């Protein structure tokens, strides 16, 4: 795969049960703005796949001569995106309605550790798809995959968050990760001020214009600087 000269490379990481299809409405909008886009299928349906296997699936899909990318992790992709930054130079990390891990924490433990399990009304389809058009929900069902990877039970392997400019985007109408819940988790774990984008948990499907606009408006503005993002403190 050869990348035409463009301003930035976006690497888009889907969430649990999803696929690269989840980005099929956002990617053309980023490309129309003159950027390269790479959306990758993670091996979440492979029982033998660990956390590093998920990250390596992303890294292996990137051309060796690709510029340092903007890596965007959606939902469960928040566990994978920072691991990509441990494998390859990354210009920026963006977390969209994402899980934010701590050192040594597994996906399985995250729900209890963050208090998500105490929230009401977050365990049904409405929490995921309430603002997605019916036709797109039916199409999403076709692309859903069972999450069987052993990565779900593995401790997150980094000792701290990568020293990479990071942005956190909250979906304003997210019923699965409500904004108030997310703000608390972001404050506790990254000490960053999150930004709001329109839409529910599956905003890449329901509100692709809003997601693409947010990604474009916060692009890195030169080495070590970002618009709307900063490096988290070096905490575990």
């Amino acid at each position: 795969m050869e990348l035409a000269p463009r301003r930035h490379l976006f690497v888009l990481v889907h969430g649990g049960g999803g696929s690269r299809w989840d980005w099929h409405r956002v990617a053309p909008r980023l490309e129309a703005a003159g950027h390269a886009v790479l959306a990758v299928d993670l091996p979440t349906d492979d029982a033998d796949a660990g956390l590093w296997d998920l990250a390596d699936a992303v890294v292996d899909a990137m051309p060796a001569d690709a510029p340092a990318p903007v890596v965007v992790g959606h939902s469960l992709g928040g566990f994978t995106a920072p691991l990509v930054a441990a494998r390859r130079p990354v210009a920026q990390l963006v977390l969209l309605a994402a899980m934010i891990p701590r050192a040594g924490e597994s996906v399985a433990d995250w729900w209890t550790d963050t208090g998500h399990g105490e929230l009401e009304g977050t365990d049904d389809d409405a929490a995921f798809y309430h603002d997605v058009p019916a036709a797109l929900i039916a199409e999403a069902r076709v692309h859903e995959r069972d999450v069987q990877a052993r990565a779900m039970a593995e401790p997150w392997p980094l000792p701290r968050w990568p020293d990479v400019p990071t942005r956190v985007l909250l979906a304003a109408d997210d019923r699965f990760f409500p904004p108030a819940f997310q703000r608390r988790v972001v404050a506790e774990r990254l000490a960053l001020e999150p930004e709001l984008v329109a839409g529910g948990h599956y905003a890449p499907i329901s509100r692709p214009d809003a997601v693409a606009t947010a990604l474009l408006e916060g692009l890195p503005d030169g080495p070590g600087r970002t618009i709307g993002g900063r490096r988290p403190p070096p905490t575990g």
Side-chain angles (χ1 to χ4, degrees):
M1 172 184 175
E2 293 186 2
L3 296 174
R6 298 190 178 191
R7 290 176 57 207
H8 289 283
L9 167 63
F10 284 93
V11 175
L12 307 178
V13 182
H14 65 77
S19 70
R20 62 183 179 181
W21 177 89
D22 292 357
W23 298 103
H24 80 283
R25 304 190 74 199
V26 174
R29 289 159 168 83
L30 300 177
E31 291 170 339
H35 304 287
V37 178
L38 177 65
V40 181
D41 281 328
L42 302 182
T44 50
D45 53 353
D46 180 353
D48 293 327
L51 286 169
W52 283 117
D53 294 312
L54 304 189
D56 288 343
V58 178
V59 173
D60 291 347
M62 294 170 55
D65 59 349
V70 174
V71 179
V72 186
H74 174 238
S75 196
L76 181 62
F79 266 72
T80 300
L83 298 183
V84 175
R87 290 291 203 225
R88 289 276 295 267
V90 166
Q92 186 184 67
L93 286 170
V94 183
L95 304 175
L96 171 61
M99 302 170 75
I100 300 171
R102 277 180 170 157
E105 181 179 62
S106 70
V107 173
D109 289 338
W110 182 92
W111 307 97
T112 300
D113 292 349
T114 60
H116 185 275
E118 300 172 7
L119 301 178
E120 296 183 359
T122 61
D123 59 353
D124 57 19
D125 284 352
F128 285 87
Y129 294 122
H130 73 93
D131 64 339
V132 179
L136 283 172
I137 293 176
E139 193 171 353
R141 299 288 190 206
V142 175
H143 293 274
E144 284 180 350
R145 297 179 298 163
D146 291 335
V147 179
Q148 302 180 14
R150 61 179 168 84
M152 302 304 105
E154 286 186 344
W156 195 65
L158 298 185
R160 61 185 61 85
W161 197 260
D163 183 22
V164 174
T166 300
R167 300 173 65 209
V168 180
L169 305 179
L170 310 186
D173 198 26
D174 194 339
R175 297 182 183 178
F176 188 58
F177 292 162
F181 162 80
Q182 282 285 78
R183 284 186 181 278
R184 175 178 58 78
V185 174
V186 173
E188 292 173 353
R189 299 190 168 206
L190 294 180
L192 294 178
E193 181 62 32
E195 307 160 53
L196 281 178
V197 297
H201 193 68
Y202 267 82
I205 300 175
S206 66
R207 301 298 294 270
D209 283 330
V211 171
T213 297
L215 294 177
L216 293 170
E217 288 181 346
L219 278 171
D221 188 31
R225 294 190 295 132
T226 63
I227 302 170
R230 66 181 178 86
R231 286 178 168 84
T235 57

